[in-house]
Amino acid sequence: MTIKTILIADDHPLFSGAIGGILKDLLPDHQILSVPDVDSLQKVAERETELSLLLLDLNMPGAIGFSALSWFVGNFPATPVIMISANGHSTTVRKALDFGAAAFIEKSADKTTIEQCVLAVLKGETGLHPNLTISSRPTQLETIDTAAAIASLTPQQLKVSSMLVEGLLNKQIAYELNVKEATIKAHMTEIMRKLGVFSRTQAVLALSQLAAEQPQEHAQ
């Protein structure tokens, strides 16, 4: 018998452990797994055939804003995603839902709110953002197109894209990934083709559209 799995993608062990404990009590028939970065997320997602739900931290190492969400939704459309973040900016919530998340939970949410949201999403509900305001302005179509392009990237191309936004040169990316510079150049060609751009600068600008709004409206 195949055991259904819920995956928590968050690089903060305390939060990951706490929410993992909530899920184990709530859904004892599920296997609860956790990963700390996008690379691990991709490997587990491709390995687990019975993935019921992903709880995804917005600020994952290896992600460019919502890039991990866009990639996952594009490659595993049957598995719902709950985006989790301390950043509850109304535009951030809007982008998460527009990019395909079934729900958005703020990290300060209480146990009952988390449990109710998880159960609702597992039943097929979408567009959930308990106790949070969502922007009335839809995400620009250009940004949606970029998110769709991200979904078409291979795992290695997504890594290269993240390093590109960080400002690394091809030689540096090749060193970090332990591959030849020619391989990175080939990846860059494909990344730009998929994004519909013609230069590294244009690629960075396009990818930067996936950044999350900072919660200035909550600043003191």
Side-chain angles (χ1 to χ4, degrees):
M1 180 179 177
T2 305
I3 300 176
K4 293 183 178 180
T5 300
I6 293 177
L7 180 59
I8 303 167
D10 192 293
D11 64 319
H12 295 91
L14 288 177
F15 180 81
S16 182
I19 201 164
I22 292 173
L23 295 176
K24 285 178 182 177
D25 291 340
L26 183 66
L27 300 161
D29 59 330
H30 280 65
Q31 173 184 220
I32 311 299
L33 299 179
S34 61
V35 293
D37 52 43
V38 173
D39 187 43
S40 302
L41 163 63
Q42 292 170 327
K43 290 175 181 175
V44 173
E46 290 170 347
R47 182 188 76 210
E48 295 294 328
T49 57
E50 293 293 327
L51 198 55
S52 301
L53 176 67
L54 169 65
L55 287 92
L56 176 63
D57 180 23
L58 175 58
N59 296 312
M60 283 283 287
I64 312 159
F66 292 95
S67 63
L69 171 63
S70 300
W71 180 85
F72 186 88
V73 170
N75 287 275
F76 304 95
T79 303
V81 181
I82 296 177
M83 177 70 63
I84 51 177
S85 178
N87 177 356
H89 191 289
S90 62
T91 303
T92 299
V93 178
R94 163 61 74 177
K95 279 187 175 182
L97 299 183
D98 285 350
F99 290 154
F104 190 106
I105 299 176
E106 200 165 27
K107 284 195 170 183
S108 59
D110 59 42
K111 180 174 180 283
T112 300
T113 298
I114 294 171
E115 291 175 337
Q116 291 176 343
C117 189
V118 166
L119 291 177
V121 169
L122 287 175
K123 290 178 182 177
E125 293 187 37
T126 59
L128 306 178
H129 46 94
N131 304 318
L132 290 171
T133 301
I134 183 171
S135 173
S136 59
R137 297 178 60 185
T139 305
Q140 294 181 350
L141 288 177
E142 182 182 2
T143 306
I144 295 292
D145 288 343
T146 298
I150 286 288
S152 71
L153 298 180
T154 66
Q156 192 77 337
Q157 288 167 359
L158 188 59
K159 289 180 190 175
V160 173
S161 298
S162 177
M163 293 178 178
L164 173 65
V165 173
E166 291 173 6
L168 273 64
L169 302 175
N170 286 353
K171 183 188 300 184
Q172 295 170 309
I173 297 174
Y175 176 80
E176 291 292 331
L177 298 180
N178 195 27
V179 298
K180 294 180 179 179
E181 189 173 349
T183 300
I184 300 304
K185 289 180 179 178
H187 282 320
M188 282 300 308
T189 298
E190 274 300 289
I191 290 167
M192 289 191 288
R193 182 186 68 79
K194 291 176 178 179
L195 290 173
V197 299
F198 303 97
S199 71
R200 293 173 70 93
T201 300
Q202 289 177 334
V204 170
L205 289 173
L207 293 166
S208 297
Q209 295 175 33
L210 298 181
E213 296 291 335
Q214 296 302 309
Q216 295 175 339
E217 62 188 38
H218 298 138
Q220 297 298 318

